[in-house]
Amino acid sequence: MKFRFTPVVLLFFLSAVLGVSGFLLSTSYKNAQDALHFEQLDQISRTHELAQQFLNFRLTEARRTLETHASFREDEFGNLLSHNALKKTLFDFVIRYEKSYNEDAKIVEEYGDIVVDARNILMKNDRWFIEKTSNGLALSYQLEITYDKSINQQGTRIFKGGFYLTDNFPLINAVRTASRAFAHILVYDNEKLVSSVSLEDGVEDVAQASFKEFGPIFSTLDSPFSGDIKPIRIEKGNRGLFLLSVTTTQGAENWKETFKQTIVIGFVFVVILTLLVTFVLRVLVHRSLKGLLEYAQGVCDGDEDIHYQAGSIIEFNEVGRVIETMVDDMSEKGKYISDMVEAANSPILAWDKDGNITIINKAIQTLFDIDNLDDFKNITDFFDRFNDPMGKLACEEALRGKATRSLETKFNLYGSTRYVIWSVTPLRDMHNAVTGVIAQGQDVTQRRHAEGSLRLSSTVFENTAEGIMITDEKGNIIDVNTAFTDITGYSREDVMGQNPRIMKSGRHSQEFYEAMWGDLHNKGIWRGEIWDKRKSGEEYPKWVSISACKNDSGRLTHYVAVFSDITDKKEDEHKLEQLAHFDHLTGLPNRVLFQDRLQTALARSRRDKEHMAILFVDLDRFKQINDSLGHRVGDLLLVEVSKRLLYSIREIDTVARLSGDEFTVILTDIASVDAVELIASRIVQSLGAPYFFEGHELFVSASVGISLYPMDGETTTDLLRNADVAMYHAKEKGRNNYQFFDVRMNEHAQSQLSMANKLRIALNRNVIHPHYQLKVDIRTGKPIGLEALARWNDENGKPVSPAKFIPIAEEHGLIARVGSSILQQVCVQIRMWQDMNFEFGSVAFNLSAQQFRDPNLLSDIREAIEDNKIDPKHLEVEVTENTMMDDVEDAIQILSNLKDMGLKISIDDFGTGYSSLSYLKRFPVDTLKIDRSFINELTLDSDDAAIVSAIVSMAQKLGVSIVAEGVENIEQSQYLKEIGCYHVQGYLYAKPCAGGELPLVWEHVIREFAE
């Protein structure tokens, strides 16, 4: 019986097997992929949790640091919240605010990198807030501390610390280090704030894809990285921040193993199915197949006498005959070709015209790192894995009969680039028809890398900014680069074969070069600064690194010197030296250099037992010129003063500018006190001469204080302090003079300093109160108004004279606080008198020069009036003549604004200043007060009487009221009445008294003088 095993039967069998196998593989692939995704998401979640824990730990650490700092005393803040302390936390900045009752918070101190919009106070305390600043987003934390500011008043300190999220690379790098992620990106409102990404291939792509999708990206067989974006939960903070994380898991490898297991299971299933079908077919094909196998086995065993015995299946019989024919023809050639291909070092690959691979050797497997050659059955399998458009085109050309020689291709394999040169040749049969293609290659990767390294080295050599010089082992120059020519001016031809000593400047000793060559011989390298000479002859500094090069056997072959021109660096160092030690305006030594020279001069004087002197020079009324004519004229004046000081001293002496209009002079090698006095006199005369700037003729005098070593002190601190004391004594002596230090001056200065401290305590305790002196109409004998005068009793209840504490308050900047305190108490007293229905006219209060120029003056007065609900007509402002003349236009505006508020205006101490009548008529003045210095000798001195009469006559013609101060006897009162001055105040009528006593004093004056 003959049986034909048809292709239909075979196709049916294979289709069934492939269908079942495909179903199993598809199901297993899906399950493995789901497991991979779950594992990757779990890994990303763990990484995100680590990053979140680290960030919350750093936030808690920063918050506790801020809370700890907030608990310290005020005098400890400067040290505790230093820049170094901030570096230990996340904070980029810390701000401390102070807030009193019914007052806005004010910034007291701030540290770190602070922009304007970061100074805003947060809406809530004890929470982290995200706020927008000009430096980008910031994460800020704020806390509030209440403390006892005084006995009856509590204050509040607010501490705010924050750090910038935008471009905060140290933070994101630390988070990535803690979580061990390959990438982290901090995201807010769909915008990237800062990122930290590993340089490994594929990490950046996964991070960008996850940010674009705003969701998970899973790893693939080609990329082991996966990423996802999750919100960050901040302890005690609001939400909105997201963290994108990229990590890697073993998921891809697990997936491979799972998939391999599926393949094994599918293969087992197919084998079982095949065995079953084979068992069925075995009955039909057993005999024919057995005969064919016996024949094939005999051929394999080398049995030359065996012949094929035909069976019952036609196809097997045909195969047997073909095998029998081919065995004889191919037995010898096959083994030869196989051995030759396998033994070849070059990769060889051949395929037929249908693309079926017929030859593939071990060299191909090694070159392309192929695990199993059986995976490549067709040439398309090869190009699917190793995509090479040029190689594919050459193969297609070969199938059309065109050979390609020396085709260079490159491909990436596990991050490494390989280069191969191919020869692609068509295979032809005996009829010259193309039956296939053979490709033979040569791996040239190492050659290309060597060529690339040479090109790179050449490019770096020619284009680096540093000069490079190469010499042979004897020190003769064999090559230089372009930067060498640019720096030295020598061309390559100028120096080839020369010794580098042609560029020596001559500045260095022989010992210097011996030490340099010693390091080169012992250590193989030397680095340092050398002065050389350019081709032009110009000397210049350079930083040089010289290395000794040796071959594999250790023999010296070359020296390589790399150097850079540091001329600009030297100039910058010189400029920094100038900025650090010299005043930028005058060019004189500043305080730092002055202290250094003073220490040096003092040490030399102490060693040589010589005398020296310190002169403290302060310009008189410089502030008036600076404020009235502007800072430009003030700067020009300071420059000219510095020149005159230099002209007034000797070359061995030092002039320095300490600050503002304060200068110091160091006089050394003094022969006598007369020599010091001569220089001091020269300085006073020189600085007192007129100055001419921009059409202005200016007159400025100087007050000079002098201290001598060793009589007035043996330390720099004592000498400088005593010279300062002497300078203030010179000012008290009328300015424009010099004074030598005396111990009594120091005692006077200490007394004034003690008084100033007591005055500050008194202001803090609110023990300076107004007393009120009556203003009386001498025609009726009745009071018409009051003047509020500041009075102060010390801790023992003893009155302190205003003549003592008012000048000290002005000198130490306390007068504005005194005036503000008196104004508040006066308004409260007026409210009380109004509630009593007591008619008191108006109350005048004095404004100091500092208070008059205060930009908050009008708002302070308006606030005091509104808080106490009083009528402004009961207030009268007294301003001295000189105060208004400092800046006339500004004074007119301020007085007009006060007038518009309903207040009355008086000029106090009139006649003692330097006002012009043309200005006087422009001032919105209600009253002129004649200074008591003209009233004291009124009935005895005809000059005083004439001045008072003129003032009264002028006031009457201007329609201005007039008040005479300091009236103490009937004769003065009678004279004033005769010349038409009817309003007076003084001890003749009443001494100043407290507000509670005033109604009684008022009635007493009426009873005594009205009758």
Side-chain angles (χ1 to χ4, degrees), residues 118 145 431 477 539 686 706 726 735 845:
I145 301 297
H431 303 293
I477 299 173
E539 294 181 357
S686 175
I706 307 170
R735 298 181 171 88
F845 65 94

Side-chain angles (χ1 to χ4, degrees), residues 27-38:
T27 301
S28 179
Y29 179 86
K30 183 65 171 61
N31 293 337
Q33 189 180 52
D34 291 342
L36 169 64
H37 290 176
F38 178 81

Side-chain angles (χ1 to χ4, degrees), residues 13 39 48 56 68 95 99 179 202 223 280 293 316 402 517 546 576 590 712 731 743 836 902 936 947 970 982:
F13 172 72
E39 182 177 354
H48 179 81
N56 278 309
T68 301
I95 305 173
K99 179 180 179 184
S179 67
S223 173
V280 174
L293 290 175
F316 289 174
K402 182 180 179 181
W517 284 107
I546 306 175
L576 288 175
N590 61 11
D712 300 331
K731 286 186 177 291
V743 176
M836 296 167 56
N936 289 338
I947 292 173
I970 294 296
Y982 304 120

Side-chain angles (χ1 to χ4, degrees), residues 130 132 137 186-191 193 239-242:
I130 298 174
K132 294 182 178 180
L137 286 183
L186 197 60
V187 180
Y188 181 80
D189 197 16
N190 293 328
E191 292 184 4
L193 300 180
R239 299 184 178 182
L241 284 177
F242 288 81

Side-chain angles (χ1 to χ4, degrees), residues 476-497:
N476 298 320
I477 299 173
I478 60 174
D479 201 1
V480 295
N481 68 344
T482 303
F484 175 92
T485 300
D486 295 339
I487 295 174
T488 66
Y490 287 98
S491 66
R492 190 173 184 273
E493 292 73 17
D494 292 337
V495 297
M496 289 298 292

Side-chain angles (χ1 to χ4, degrees), residues 291 322 346 514 586 624 854:
V322 170
S346 301
E514 289 176 355
T586 63
Q624 296 177 359
D854 188 349

Side-chain angles (χ1 to χ4, degrees), residues 103-121:
E103 291 183 1
D104 293 330
K106 297 180 181 178
I107 295 176
V108 178
E109 290 183 288
E110 57 185 21
Y111 307 88
D113 182 13
I114 303 177
V115 295
V116 174
D117 40 7
R119 295 186 173 96
N120 298 328
I121 296 179

